[in-house]
Amino acid sequence: MNEEYDVIVLGTGLTECILSGIMSVKGKKVLHMDRNSYYGAESASITPLEDLYKRFSMPGSPPESMGKGRDWNVDLIPKFLMANGQLVRMLLITQVTRYLDFKVIEGSFVYKKGSIYKVPSTETEALGSSLMGIFEKRRFRKLLVFIANFDENDPKTMEGVDPKQSTMRDVYKKFDLGQDVIDFTGHALALYRTDDYLDLPCLETINRIKLYSDSLARYGKSPYLYPLYGLGELPQGFARLSAIYGGTYMLNKPIEEIVVENGKVVGVKSEGEVARCKQLICDPSYVMDRVTKVGQVIRVICIMSHPIKNTSDANSCQIIIPQNQVNRQHDIYVCMISYAHNVAAQGKYVAIISTTVETNDPEKEIKPALELLEPVEQKFVSVSDQFGPVDLGVESQIFVSRTYDATTHFETTCDDIKDIYKRMTGTDFDFAEMERKKNDIFGDAAE
Ligand SMILES: *[C@@H]1O[C@H](CO)[C@@H](O)[C@H](O)[C@H]1NC(C)=O
């Protein structure tokens, strides 16, 4: 261990593994350690099922009806990949896709007045949807056409909307849209968790809806992808990338001290030895004195033997419960996957409910989502604190990632990665720099 590294990374969560991969590809000498014996940290998929029971301190072991424990890979953090999003782009240019197999999530649904409806996001789907009345449909269709044609470099496409000045509220008013349509446009298409976006310039919202539509257009069914064997495959894929470029990996390493001299990190002590480094990347759990609590997320893993009602028996789906519909400030999400993704025993389904905690009784907050899933065979409830770094790390050269939030995709995780990259290097992250070979996510990248 008595070696000098450019970068030491602590924790093998997805954020850390992607940064480790990026730094290795850029020619940095990287040492990556984790106190756990498995990859993924908070973004791990737990296998076998017995380990999930242990992790949640459930009495006894899984009943026989749960099948073989090894057939389970249960995610701790529920998320999907946007087909046209930043993570897929990163997977493609680095060719990490060759270690992974993806499936398209079968449907995206939105909750309205106690029932769930398929999210319409194309003109044809919108016209066939029972979510809206006939006049509302026409107005919504006009909004979708406007957004599809909107080009921020071409004022002719803007119909008088100023992308930097007009708010999204103005845009909804322009198309005369009602509250229900506004709810699902903002929350099920633009994927905002709160209503704060309404009074901000509309460009960000327009781009988010474009991301949703472009992702949906890519593979049909839904804009989301999911890797077979669970999300834990993602950090492992990037760890392999880092290793190919010379990165060193060590699991099961207790971290005794982060050695700081004159306010700047110089190394990490593990099992009595100090590995020296110029920069350090880690998740909040390794530096609790350098992070601050930014909120709490409740996640409820539900095991079921049936698909969710009114989803056309989809073996995977997402359900968004917009905050307005249940008198909250934050949306509630449900991500469901199943045996079809090699994450559960034959015939079993895993739905994970998540939302930002708003009260002292978070389990009560997620009841509307739980009601959609009943009967549930086994529940695993967690309420976790979310942390963010107290400073930018420029002085200490200690760069701390943010805890995974309640969003159901990886766009905010990728923003955090790009942000840390910029603070570490002083330059913007450029996807092209990572380019190995372009390919389709379902293409044969291995030749
Ligand atoms: C499911 O569909 C039925 C029939 O259309 C409807 O009455 C019920 O409210 C729906 N339930 C949910 C949870 O969507």
Side-chain angles (χ1 to χ4, degrees), residues 243-283:
I244 288 170
Y245 284 84
T248 304
Y249 274 76
M250 295 181 181
L251 297 180
N252 238 334
K253 291 290 281 183
I255 303 303
E256 281 133 26
E257 189 189 342
I258 289 165
V259 188
V260 176
E261 283 172 11
N262 302 321
K264 190 174 168 300
V265 67
V266 295
V268 173
K269 187 170 165 190
S270 171
E271 298 178 295
E273 285 181 90
V274 174
R276 298 185 68 80
C277 67
K278 300 189 187 94
Q279 294 183 307
L280 180 76
I281 302 168
C282 62
D283 73 46

Side-chain angles (χ1 to χ4, degrees), residues 132-407:
M132 291 170 270
I134 184 82
F135 297 111
E136 194 90 85
K137 274 177 194 169
R138 286 199 197 138
R139 296 192 286 263
F140 178 60
R141 182 174 166 274
K142 280 191 187 150
L143 173 75
L144 287 182
V145 172
F146 165 74
I147 288 176
N149 293 332
F150 194 94
D151 175 353
E152 62 179 295
N153 300 313
D154 182 359
K156 283 201 295 293
T157 65
M158 295 179 187
E159 301 181 19
V161 171
D162 180 339
K164 303 235 167 70
Q165 296 288 332
S166 315
T167 65
M168 201 56 203
R169 203 186 285 283
D170 297 336
V171 174
Y172 288 140
K173 205 177 276 165
K174 172 181 163 69
F175 289 92
D176 198 19
L177 296 173
Q179 190 56 47
D180 286 340
V181 179
I182 291 176
D183 270 355
F184 80 71
T185 304
H187 295 262
L189 301 185
L191 301 172
Y192 283 109
R193 284 167 290 167
T194 71
D195 266 348
D196 299 347
Y197 77 98
L198 282 171
D199 296 306
L200 298 175
C202 62
L203 182 61
E204 167 77 14
T205 306
I206 289 174
N207 284 336
R208 280 169 173 242
I209 295 170
K210 272 184 196 284
L211 171 64
Y212 190 99
S213 307
D214 293 349
S215 294
L216 183 77
R218 208 145 166 190
Y219 303 115
K221 286 186 187 177
S222 86
Y224 304 113
L225 301 173
Y226 185 83
L228 295 186
Y229 299 99
L231 296 176
E233 295 295 296
L234 295 167
Q236 289 191 68
F238 284 99
R240 282 177 75 169
L241 171 72
S242 172
I244 288 170
Y245 284 84
T248 304
Y249 274 76
M250 295 181 181
L251 297 180
N252 238 334
K253 291 290 281 183
I255 303 303
E256 281 133 26
E257 189 189 342
I258 289 165
V259 188
V260 176
E261 283 172 11
N262 302 321
K264 190 174 168 300
V265 67
V266 295
V268 173
K269 187 170 165 190
S270 171
E271 298 178 295
E273 285 181 90
V274 174
R276 298 185 68 80
C277 67
K278 300 189 187 94
Q279 294 183 307
L280 180 76
I281 302 168
C282 62
D283 73 46
S285 71
Y286 288 88
V287 283
M288 290 309 290
D289 55 332
R290 291 175 188 272
V291 295
T292 177
K293 183 172 157 180
V294 293
Q296 268 190 328
V297 178
I298 176 167
R299 299 188 174 97
V300 182
I301 301 170
C302 301
I303 295 179
M304 304 154 351
S305 291
H306 58 85
I308 299 175
K309 276 191 268 322
N310 296 4
T311 61
S312 316
D313 288 348
N315 61 32
S316 59
C317 67
Q318 178 189 63
I319 302 171
I320 294 176
I321 305 181
Q323 32 107 347
N324 251 337
Q325 292 288 328
V326 285
N327 292 319
R328 291 172 51 77
Q329 271 98 54
H330 297 86
D331 295 356
I332 306 173
Y333 296 112
V334 178
C335 286
M336 193 202 71
I337 44 184
S338 66
Y339 61 95
H341 308 86
N342 306 357
V343 298
Q346 188 60 32
K348 299 292 183 190
Y349 297 77
V350 180
I352 309 185
I353 303 167
S354 63
T355 191
T356 306
V357 172
E358 294 175 4
T359 69
N360 290 331
D361 191 358
E363 275 199 70
K364 192 168 159 212
E365 294 181 44
I366 55 93
K367 253 186 94 193
L370 201 57
E371 279 164 6
L372 300 174
L373 308 181
E374 298 290 4
V376 171
E377 280 177 51
Q378 186 65 63
K379 264 189 330 186
F380 303 87
V381 181
S382 69
V383 176
S384 21
D385 290 342
Q386 288 177 280
F387 298 101
V390 289
D391 65 23
L392 299 177
V394 178
E395 219 163 289
S396 62
Q397 292 292 296
I398 297 174
F399 303 92
V400 188
S401 62
R402 302 182 153 274
T403 315
Y404 303 96
D405 59 28
T407 57

Side-chain angles (χ1 to χ4, degrees), residues 124-137:
T124 331
E125 269 196 353
L127 288 172
S129 172
S130 53
L131 191 54
M132 291 170 270
I134 184 82
F135 297 111
E136 194 90 85
K137 274 177 194 169

